[in-house]
Amino acid sequence: NRVEVLRGPQGTLFGSGSLSGTVRYITNQPDLESTSSAVELDGRTIDSGGSGGYAKAYFNSPIGDSSAMRIVAYYDDIPGWMDSHQPDGSLARNVNDGKRYGGRLAFRFEPTENLVITPRVVYQKVEFDGYNREDLYNILGNEFTTTRPMVSIGKNEQYTQFDEEFTDRFTLADLKIEYDFGKVNLTSITSYTDRELVAGRDAGALTSSITGGSIGLDEEVYTLDAPLDDFTEVDGWTQELRLDGGNETLAWVVGAFYSDFTRDYGQELLVSGFEDLTDIPTKGDLIAPKDGLYWSDLSYDFKQFAIFGEVTWAASDRLDLTGGLRYYDFDESRIQTFDGIFASPGTTTGDADANGFAPRFIADYAINEDVSINGQISKGFRLGGLNDPLNLPLCTPEDAETFGGNDNFGDEKLWNYELGLKSMFMNGRAMFNAAIFYQDIQDLQAVLLA
């Protein structure tokens, strides 16, 4: 139906992660009034790449007098443009092609004049045969580090020893219940999310830099296939309750939010044949199998509770004042297990928690019908959490000293102060807007790569 972009911070109503803003994706709702449908087809080609296209369709139909159904389906054939050199001298074309398909099924029930129930299920699956990675050089595709002929890697090209893959399966089920009490409206939104990602990459260049470069093993060892597989599974549910009401002078909303999510993540680096060629024991005491040079299993549990409220007062015909506040309480726990000769074997646990307030104050004054000024003071936040432990066997003493000792990271907090002007002139045919702002960020979150 539409996409709304709300400038941040939006922490009062939308919570963590809304420092810079919030994007709302609003889908079309089932229509009780009429039956309708549509089909959209598209074709495309990429210069020096592949070809593809997509098909979309929807169907909406009333079911009796007080309910309706809407179903949407789509299939997208995504062309690739990256070519991959192979050890036998061949060139695999368009390895980053893929497909995306899914659908949405929604119902709308209005059993009484005051009650609306809207259940919905969204499903999508994405599959790619490779990655948008351009290699300038590869340690396994040249005559200086192997006995193989030199490979000249050009634009939009890479070097791999086997096929890579990426899949992302996403399911969202939600239930929205709305009840009109007259002067007050109640809204309940319950949602369940399940997502699985598998990323299979050729880690031969990285692995050989260790097995060949650091350890000094023979070429027949460091040129073995080294697939690095990432597995991620996220599932959880959220519940939000809101009450809203008001009149021409005063509008308000209050609510409560709760979420409970788990995330399981693991990496597997299986270099088949490594132990037989080197006589180096590789089977770990914890989870790594034979030839499993690096193995990890990470489990996280996230819980968050929040209460929030916002009120807008029409102080006069020209002046609107808005005030809001959100309180949040967050808890995270983890269990991490690492194993293999490339890891620091062991199991660690950790916990992190945070709580705080996020207020917002807005004033909007209409100088006349065409010109208005506004001011805002608001606070946003991004939740902290737990860092992964350093892989100490692969760290230099300097790296361990520089990056160690940072088990947790705190909330990032931002205070935003702004003034804005909105105006229209030439009988509404022209518009001029301007804004000035100042932001104070504390505990900025940044990624450091050791």
Side-chain angles (χ1 to χ4, degrees), residues 168-444:
D168 181 355
R169 182 187 60 77
F170 174 80
T171 303
L172 168 67
D174 56 40
L175 175 65
K176 184 177 182 180
I177 301 174
E178 302 167 277
Y179 192 85
D180 184 358
F181 289 97
K183 294 183 178 181
V184 176
N185 301 307
L186 171 66
T187 302
S188 170
I189 302 175
T190 306
S191 68
Y192 173 77
T193 301
D194 180 70
R195 188 178 185 184
E196 292 183 1
L197 296 96
V198 177
R201 294 168 290 173
D202 185 349
L206 175 61
T207 303
S208 63
S209 68
I210 300 171
T211 56
S214 301
I215 303 177
L217 299 175
D218 295 336
E219 179 180 345
E220 63 174 344
V221 177
Y222 66 73
T223 55
L224 290 171
D225 286 351
L228 178 63
D229 296 321
D230 289 16
F231 304 93
T232 304
E233 182 173 356
V234 180
D235 67 275
W237 66 279
T238 67
Q239 174 64 53
E240 183 169 325
L241 287 173
R242 294 195 305 266
L243 288 171
D244 67 90
N247 49 43
E248 294 181 356
T249 303
L250 194 71
W252 56 271
V253 58
V254 296
F257 173 84
Y258 179 79
S259 68
D260 187 351
F261 275 82
T262 60
R263 176 167 65 92
D264 295 315
Y265 172 73
Q267 282 190 318
E268 300 176 358
L269 179 61
L270 183 65
V271 184
S272 300
F274 180 88
E275 184 171 320
D276 292 338
L277 289 174
T278 63
D279 292 327
I280 298 176
T282 54
K283 188 177 187 305
D285 295 329
L286 301 173
I287 56 176
K290 177 184 177 181
D291 294 331
L293 305 191
Y294 180 83
W295 227 257
S296 67
D297 186 6
L298 293 73
S299 179
Y300 297 83
D301 184 56
F302 308 87
K303 291 183 174 65
Q304 183 179 181
F305 171 75
I307 53 176
F308 58 89
E310 190 169 274
V311 59
T312 298
W313 174 42
S316 70
D317 292 340
R318 296 186 178 186
L319 177 63
D320 290 338
L321 300 175
T322 299
L325 184 67
R326 185 184 189 95
Y327 171 78
Y328 63 92
D329 186 276
F330 166 79
D331 179 75
E332 175 185 351
S333 61
R334 74 172 182 204
I335 301 175
Q336 298 179 319
T337 300
F338 298 89
D339 204 4
I341 63 173
F342 282 6
S344 179
T347 298
T348 61
T349 61
D351 294 280
D353 58 78
N355 57 71
F357 292 91
R360 178 164 71 165
F361 308 97
I362 303 173
D364 195 333
Y365 182 74
I367 298 175
N368 53 47
E369 293 182 355
D370 297 324
V371 181
S372 66
I373 57 175
N374 60 81
Q376 179 176 188
I377 301 174
S378 56
K379 181 182 179 182
F381 65 98
R382 181 176 290 117
L383 290 170
L386 297 162
N387 284 315
D388 293 344
L390 287 179
N391 192 348
L392 292 175
L394 300 184
C395 284
T396 65
E398 293 77 14
D399 284 342
E401 177 69 22
T402 300
F403 298 101
N406 297 301
D407 296 334
N408 297 8
F409 59 98
D411 291 356
E412 179 180 334
K413 301 174 183 178
L414 178 147
W415 278 99
N416 177 67
Y417 310 87
E418 65 178 87
L419 289 172
L421 168 72
K422 296 181 179 180
S423 63
M424 299 183 67
F425 50 96
M426 297 177 62
N427 295 323
R429 291 175 296 173
M431 178 186 299
F432 175 77
N433 297 336
I436 183 172
F437 67 90
Y438 173 80
Q439 294 183 339
D440 182 10
I441 305 174
Q442 297 178 350
D443 298 322
L444 177 68

